[in-house]
Amino acid sequence: MDLKIRLLSQNMTFNARDSTFGEIIQIGMTQYRIPRFQRPYAWTRDNAEDLYRDLSAGEVDFFAGSLVLNFQNEAKGSIEIIDGQQRMITTTLLFAALRDIADSFDIPDTALSIQNKYIGEKSDRTGNYHWKLIPADSLEDFFVYYIQTYPKNEFPAISGLTQEKKKVRVNYLYFYEQLEKEIKGLSKEKVKKRIYEWVDYILKTRVIRIRVDDESRAYEIFETVNARGADLTVADLLKNSIFSKVPAGERRDVAKETWKLIQDNLDGSGI
């Protein structure tokens, strides 16, 4: 069911729809992108544990919250994630762990199926991957090389990594270790069956998909949706405000470059 909603105080209009995560992620060649004003990946192991526990219950109607998506550039093959990037990134980590478990048990057809359908498909013609999810610049290269690429590359030492890269590493390893414990001692056929049960858990998860079609409103909706959330810091809101007032240029994105310098200098300080 689609609902058209207008927030009169902000003069914002958007559509809300009940969807499954499978409907969100299986959209052909369209890519989900994390926009420039978003905060870094922030989910901790506790968040990953909560997601794993909720999904492993196997409830058909498990509700994971809302996703706010900007469809302004859909015709160009891109949809921006205004709110929900933490869940999208973490779910990709879980898909990657399932893929690598299949690979470790010598079930390459299952590993490749998960890779192509839910993480990224490799072009036979160019050899390049078309990723389902494109993280923000601060995480993109690390995410592509250590999470999305198949066969998987080994993680570097945790020392020297930024806080968000450490969280990606920790959460992926948590998922992999939990899955490994769960299937220990099972036959290859039962491992394959269990992996696909987990894929179904993820795909059947229900979300409210909120659609907007105007980038200029995306900043306002980001703040409105998160206004009561304890997880957003002053720095997150400040970043959103600055980026909404300093658009990216054709050759340079001064706001993004400056913010990255600030973030690099303060990384690990808690700001």
Side-chain angles (χ1 to χ4, degrees), residues 188-204:
K188 183 181 292 189
E189 284 304 312
K190 288 185 178 179
V191 168
K192 183 175 182 177
K193 180 182 178 182
R194 187 57 181 152
I195 289 172
Y196 277 116
E197 286 175 348
W198 264 100
V199 169
D200 286 342
Y201 293 162
I202 299 170
L203 298 182
K204 291 178 181 178

Side-chain angles (χ1 to χ4, degrees), residues 11-40:
N11 194 29
M12 288 185 281
T13 302
F14 55 84
N15 290 295
R17 178 184 180 185
D18 178 30
S19 300
T20 65
F21 190 80
E23 291 170 340
I24 298 292
I25 199 68
Q26 298 180 86
I27 51 170
M29 297 301 285
T30 302
Q31 292 179 309
Y32 288 102
R33 291 182 175 271
I34 310 297
R36 58 200 282 272
F37 59 83
Q38 282 280 15
R39 58 176 169 165

Side-chain angles (χ1 to χ4, degrees), residues 44 157-158 190:
T44 64
I158 198 167
K190 288 185 178 179

